[in-house]
Each structure stands twice: as C-alpha cells, then as structure tokens.
Amino acid sequence: MSDRVTMPALGESVTEGTVTRWLKNVGDTVAVDEPLLEVSTDKVDTEIPSPVAGTLQEILVEEDETVPVGADLAVVGDGEASGGSDSSDDSAKAEDKGEEKTEEAAAETSSEKESKSSDDEQKSEEPKQEAASSGGEVSGGEKVTMPALGESVTEGTITRWLKAEGDDVAVDEPLLEVSTDKVDTEVPSPVAGKLTKILVSEDETVPVGADLAVIGGEAGGSSDDSAESEEKAEQPQESVDSEKQDEAVEAAEDKSETSEPEKAPEAKDEPKEEPKQEAPAKESSSGDQGDKQQEASTKVDNSGTYVTPLVRKIAAENNIDLSSIKGTGVGGRIRKQDVLDAAKAASAPKEEAPAPAQESAAAAPAASATPQAAPQASAEAQAKRGTTEKMSRLRKVIAQRMVESLATSAQLTAVVEVDMTKVAATRARNKENFKSREGVNLSYLPFITTAVVEALKAFPQVNSSVDGENIVYHNAEHIGIAVDTPRGLLVPVVKDAGDLSIAGIAKKIADLAARTRDNKVTPDELGGGTFTISNIGSNGSLLDTPIINQPQVAILGTGAMTKRPVVVTDEFGNDSIAVRQMMYLVLTYDHRVVDGADAGRFLSAVKARLEEGAFEV
C-alpha cells in the first residue's frame, strides 16, 4: 500500500510552490511527520512532513520545479522503490539499508554493538531523534504542540528549550521559545508535571500543530543503562558547553527584551568571559545530588525568579544582590542587561565624584573630551568580534523580503526639505498638557502621519498596491510604522489612520511600538498596511533611501530635524535669513504605478501641510 505526498495549501493567496530541496532519497525510510522536502512559496519557506511511515518509493517532482497546490510530489509506501532519479545501485543499497533498519528495529533488545551500527546507519535522520532521550517511547502523558501564532503563520522554529528532560514544570510556566517570521514568543506548558520527552530539538522548524514534547507519562527502555549513559554524557558536556549555553540564553532573552533600547554599557563594566571560571563551582559539588542542587541554584534566585548562570556570575563579579533587582525579562526574569545596569548605577557616584575637578580644569587643553565622545563597545559587541553566527529566522525573513522588494518593483526616491518650525512650536506649547491628558508623549510622528494621511486621500495611486497586472486602490489608510527592536526591524500597522485625530494616532503609535519592542504584538497587527513611514532620523540620519514594503507602492522616510540658517520670505516678498527647524522627507515609490510627477505632487502636499502648522492637538 502506498500514499502520495501532495503540495499543501500554505496560505489563502498561495497557489503554487517550488521544491527547494529533497531531504530524503528514493529508498530511504521515513517516519510519520518526518521532514521529507523543503518547499518555497512567495510567502514562506517550509518543510513538508511525510503523512505516513514507510519507504520513499518515488520522487515525482525534481528540485527547482514549481507545481500548483495539490500536485503530487512523491510516493511513500511499504513496497519497493521504483528507482526514481537514483541509479539502480544506489536504490539497491538504500533498500538493503532500509531492510537492515527494520530488522534491527525488530531485534531492538540486542547487544551494544547492534545499537551502535543502528546509530551509524541513521546519521541522515532528523536531529530531533538525536535530541530525544535514551529512554525510548513514552506511554501516556500530555503532548505539547506548536500553537497557531497568527492567521498567516504556518510553522515555527524552536529557538531554545527553557526546560530539560526530567524537569518539573507548572501550568503556564514557559517551556520553550519559538520564533516565526512574525513574532518570537514563549510557549507555556498546558499542564503541570515532569517533562518526560523532548520531541523537537533546537533550531528545528515544524508546522503548526506538530508535537513538541511530552509532559507526564512513563518513559520506556532500560533505565539503568540510560541513566548511566546520561550521567557520563552530562558531566563533560556541562564543563565544555556551559558558557555557550549561557550566551545562548542571554541572546534569546535579548530577543524578547521588554525595555526600550538603551545605550550600550561601557566595556570596562563587563569582564571578559572565560569558560574555565565556572569549573571550580562544578568541581566543588559532590555526586549527582550536589550537581542537581547547584543547577537549580543557577536557575532560581532567592525570590524564585529564573536566573541563568551567566547572569549569576556577572552579579557575583560586580557584587550585585540579585534579590534587589527587578527583572525586565518575560515573567520578571532577570536579564544580563539588568545586572549591568545595576552595576553601572552602583558605580555612578564614584564616577561623578571627580566632576568638580574636571570643571575646574576646563580652561586647560580639552584632552578629556575626546575619550568621552568615543563609542564604548558593549559586552555583546565584544563577544561578536571574530565570530560567525547563524541568522535568526526574523533576520532571514527581513533579508529575503528586502531583496525580493528590490527585484519586484522599479523603485525611485524623491526628496523635499520641510520647515518644521511651526510644528515644533505647536508641539512645545502642548506637549506637557498633552502628556497629562492622553498619557503618552507628543512626538513629531503624529503630525507627519496626519499630513501623510490627508495627502493619501488626495493621491490614491500612492495608497495602492499591485496584484499581478492589476492596481488595487485601497479605501482606507492603514499606516505601517517601522519600529527598531533588538530582534530586528518590524512594522506594526495603525489601522484606519484616516479616521483618527492626532491624539488617537499618537496613542496607537505609542501602544504598537511598546508592544512590538516587548514582543507582545500579534501577527495580525504586523500586516495589512497600505503605506509605511520610517523614522530614519531617530538614529541621527538626515537622508536615507528606504525600501518599499511589498505589495505597497511607496514608503516615506523622515530625517533628523536640525536647526539651520535658511532664507525666509515674508508676506511682502522680503527675504531674510533665519534659524529654522528643517527636516528632509524622503519618498521611495514604485514607478510601475506612481510617476515622478505624482510623487512630487504628493511630497509637496505633505510639505505644505506641515509648514502651515495648523494642527488641532
């Protein structure tokens, strides 16, 4: 009996997919839900699991071929392979190998040599089998599955397991971290119990609904042999990989950072990390019981908050009491940055003490000003020097989308210079009252967004998108706001911005930006935009050429506002030179839909509205 593997539907608008790579060859044995091939669409790249267990008998679609949704890709069954694209010798070897595997599986309780040969033959199998415990199958228990993290999210990548096999977990306690092309989040445990088995290892990508772990139940297999092998494997593993694990914990913590981006701490506050420094602590423990107690102490501080060994080490080196620190991580977790901030705050009085002496020597040659202006490398920056790291899923998605955007549309850039003096005066007069009334700060972005929304209503071609050979003119203004986060650039969308006042826009932007940085924004809030604004001036840039967020046809970049002397003409035509607040507005537009004249008129309308400065705050 055989079953056909078909191209699945990977989204409402996805009609076809390209076979990127076959993960199995004809004649290979595959398990249920084991990745069979990789498929690429215009929305996602994903792995297609095998719907049944058996032998890959035939490959029907070769790599780099594009087929519609529902098309047959391969045949998996119990019979012999038909040969497919492999030679007869290779397929015969694959069949012999598959028969050997089944025979070994039937004689599973044989000697140690047989288990070693079985491991050698299964080198090409998925890493999740290596990550699984040596306890064998699990009977009973509750399975933890990959949750649905948004309408368009079909898969997720396991970033990090927060618990190890054998650990006790409580209901809703974070169990693992998952990364998708929209959000990074923690998956909580649905039940309380012991984490019996991990089914998917870190860095693996699995579809929504796939089994990730088993909580509760009983693990089968020989307990004595597996316990001894685990103990022998854990001791050298801990001494060699402890520092790498700590860095991975902190890297994942930075992804779910809940605070605003802060200035990098000075390099002198961060001691260089050496793997040998943790060895004495581990040597001092006696027996397995001592190791477990020490491991628990590195995870939890006196208040019961999760603390990584790296955080605990930095706290000890800086004489910081962890119980006095309020964690900013998920669930109140204390992050490395929290400890560094506490150390910096503790040393602040010492650094401020010599300030009067420096002021008294101000008349002397100002040699001390240069070191203060020099950028200080953070511990994270120093740790990256000379290293290579794998791209995060979000970084890969950003890279792919940017390259695709440049290859899809004919992008040009137009620039105008805007006198923001009147807007600056209006903001200065109202910002205190606005803050007390609305509860958010009044920045320049709500003024610019209001001017853009009004101009979009007058120039619908700029508020459109391309769908094949059609131009879709949208009936609402959904404004995407680019937000810089530690994980990368994300664009949450202010829906129906054309119906909001300046106060409404300011509150929506503040709320979306905060939740995006805190990793609490939903996938649906990151899509559906019709026009995007990128505040390129937030990092001091005067000009930039932003890339269009497809399928939109334009994006506006707002440069840094600076005071400059400019020529000002009064109502009587007299010219004078005055100091004004100036800003560059940069519009990248798709020349397939928007002509240069339309782009110029759109920018001129936004410029005139801002220079008029008549806004109700």
Side-chain angles (χ1 to χ4, degrees):
M1 181 178 177
S2 60
D3 292 85
R4 290 181 178 265
V5 181
T6 60
M7 177 69 71
L10 298 173
E12 293 181 6
S13 60
V14 176
T15 59
E16 62 183 12
T18 301
V19 177
T20 308
R21 182 164 64 103
W22 282 96
L23 305 176
K24 296 290 183 180
N25 296 318
V26 172
D28 286 353
T29 302
V30 293
V32 177
D33 292 333
E34 183 177 1
L36 196 60
L37 70 153
E38 291 180 352
V39 171
S40 175
T41 73
D42 58 352
K43 295 293 180 73
V44 294
D45 291 345
T46 186
E47 293 177 341
I48 305 300
S50 174
V52 294
T55 302
L56 179 57
Q57 296 179 331
E58 186 177 2
I59 292 177
L60 303 177
V61 180
E62 297 298 326
E63 293 180 356
D64 295 327
E65 279 193 49
T66 300
V67 294
V69 171
D72 294 335
L73 302 176
V75 179
V76 177
D78 299 329
E80 296 180 353
S82 62
S85 59
D86 293 343
S87 65
S88 59
D89 292 340
D90 291 339
S91 62
K93 290 179 182 178
E95 288 171 12
D96 293 339
K97 192 178 290 185
E99 291 173 3
E100 289 173 8
K101 289 179 183 177
T102 55
E103 290 173 4
E104 287 169 0
E108 192 174 330
T109 57
S110 59
S111 67
E112 211 170 319
K113 290 183 180 180
E114 289 177 341
S115 65
K116 285 183 180 178
S117 64
S118 168
D119 290 340
D120 292 339
E121 289 175 0
Q122 294 177 359
K123 277 183 180 178
S124 63
E125 291 199 8
E126 198 174 340
K128 67 182 179 183
Q129 294 181 354
E130 298 174 7
S133 67
S134 58
E137 297 296 327
V138 177
S139 59
E142 183 81 14
K143 289 187 176 180
V144 181
T145 61
M146 176 68 73
L149 299 173
E151 292 182 5
S152 60
V153 177
T154 60
E155 61 182 8
T157 300
I158 309 301
T159 307
R160 182 168 64 102
W161 281 96
L162 304 176
K163 297 289 184 179
E165 289 185 358
D167 288 353
D168 291 325
V169 293
V171 178
D172 292 333
E173 183 178 2
L175 192 61
L176 70 153
E177 291 178 351
V178 171
S179 174
T180 73
D181 58 352
K182 294 293 182 72
V183 294
D184 291 347
T185 186
E186 292 180 338
V187 176
S189 173
V191 294
K194 187 182 294 295
L195 179 55
T196 310
K197 192 177 183 73
I198 292 176
L199 303 176
V200 181
S201 61
E202 293 180 358
D203 294 329
E204 278 195 60
T205 301
V206 294
V208 171
D211 295 334
L212 304 178
V214 179
I215 296 177
E218 296 182 358
S222 56
S223 58
D224 294 338
D225 294 341
S226 63
E228 289 176 4
S229 62
E230 283 179 6
E231 289 171 4
K232 290 179 182 178
E234 281 177 5
Q235 290 173 0
Q237 193 73 12
E238 287 176 354
S239 61
V240 175
D241 295 340
S242 60
E243 198 70 15
K244 293 181 180 179
Q245 291 173 352
D246 296 345
E247 291 175 1
V249 167
E250 286 307 313
E253 280 298 322
D254 289 339
K255 286 184 179 180
S256 57
E257 185 175 341
T258 58
S259 59
E260 293 283 333
E262 299 168 345
K263 293 184 178 179
E266 294 187 0
K268 64 182 180 181
D269 291 338
E270 174 66 12
K272 186 175 181 180
E273 299 169 11
E274 297 180 2
K276 293 181 180 179
Q277 291 178 351
E278 283 191 8
K282 288 180 180 166
E283 290 172 2
S284 64
S285 62
S286 59
D288 295 342
Q289 208 167 13
D291 288 341
K292 291 180 181 178
Q293 290 175 354
Q294 184 183 9
E295 184 182 352
S297 68
T298 60
K299 289 184 177 180
V300 182
D301 67 0
N302 295 335
S303 62
T305 306
Y306 177 89
V307 179
T308 66
L310 180 60
V311 169
R312 189 172 294 279
K313 184 180 73 172
I314 295 173
E317 291 171 349
N318 291 274
N319 296 322
I320 300 298
D321 183 9
L322 290 174
S323 61
S324 64
I325 299 177
K326 182 178 180 182
T328 60
V330 177
R333 186 174 304 158
I334 298 176
R335 299 168 48 254
K336 180 170 70 175
Q337 191 61 46
D338 298 331
V339 179
L340 293 176
D341 291 342
K344 191 173 182 180
S347 61
K350 297 179 181 178
E351 294 176 357
E352 293 174 0
Q358 293 176 0
E359 291 176 2
S360 63
S368 62
T370 303
Q372 292 178 359
Q376 298 294 330
S378 65
E380 291 82 0
Q382 288 180 338
K384 288 181 181 294
R385 288 169 60 90
T387 64
T388 301
E389 67 178 9
K390 184 180 178 181
M391 274 189 178
S392 67
R393 181 173 178 81
L394 179 59
R395 178 51 53 192
K396 287 191 289 186
V397 170
I398 292 173
Q400 178 185 348
R401 298 276 170 82
M402 294 299 98
V403 173
E404 287 178 351
S405 178
L406 291 173
T408 299
S409 56
Q411 301 188 22
L412 285 82
T413 302
V415 184
V416 295
E417 190 177 32
V418 181
D419 185 351
M420 296 284 289
T421 304
K422 291 183 179 179
V423 172
T426 301
R427 174 180 176 270
R429 286 195 308 268
N430 295 278
K431 63 179 182 179
E432 296 297 335
N433 182 47
F434 185 90
K435 176 66 179 294
S436 61
R437 184 180 77 243
E438 304 295 342
V440 296
N441 292 322
L442 179 62
S443 66
Y444 293 100
L445 196 52
F447 295 97
I448 297 171
T449 304
T450 299
V452 165
V453 166
E454 293 174 358
L456 289 175
K457 293 178 179 179
F459 299 92
Q461 63 269 38
V462 184
N463 192 47
S464 64
S465 60
V466 177
D467 182 12
E469 296 181 354
N470 300 318
I471 301 174
V472 180
Y473 297 97
H474 302 291
N475 60 358
E477 296 75 35
H478 305 313
I479 307 299
I481 304 295
V483 177
D484 181 30
T485 75
R487 298 180 293 119
L489 186 68
L490 294 173
V491 186
V493 178
V494 178
K495 300 293 177 64
D496 297 311
D499 299 333
L500 301 175
S501 63
I502 284 184
I505 291 174
K507 288 192 286 188
K508 287 291 291 184
I509 291 176
D511 171 61
L512 284 171
R515 288 193 290 114
T516 300
R517 293 190 182 99
D518 291 347
N519 199 24
K520 295 179 180 178
V521 68
T522 64
D524 295 336
E525 292 173 311
L526 294 172
T530 61
F531 186 90
T532 300
I533 298 176
S534 178
N535 184 15
I536 58 180
S538 61
N539 57 15
S541 299
L542 295 176
L543 277 174
D544 201 349
T545 53
I547 298 175
I548 294 173
N549 189 11
Q550 297 293 332
Q552 300 170 19
V553 298
I555 180 174
L556 182 73
T558 61
M561 194 164 65
T562 59
K563 290 183 179 181
R564 290 203 306 273
V566 296
V567 176
V568 178
T569 303
D570 62 19
E571 56 185 355
F572 302 107
N574 299 318
D575 293 339
S576 61
I577 296 177
V579 176
R580 311 292 287 181
Q581 299 270 17
M582 305 301 293
M583 175 187 288
Y584 291 112
L585 294 183
V586 185
L587 181 73
T588 298
Y589 59 96
D590 187 349
H591 212 324
R592 296 179 301 168
V593 178
V594 182
D595 292 330
D598 293 329
R601 284 189 283 266
F602 174 82
L603 275 177
S604 296
V606 176
K607 170 185 168 74
R609 183 69 177 91
L610 291 171
E611 291 184 343
E612 179 188 29
F615 294 94
E616 294 183 5
V617 180

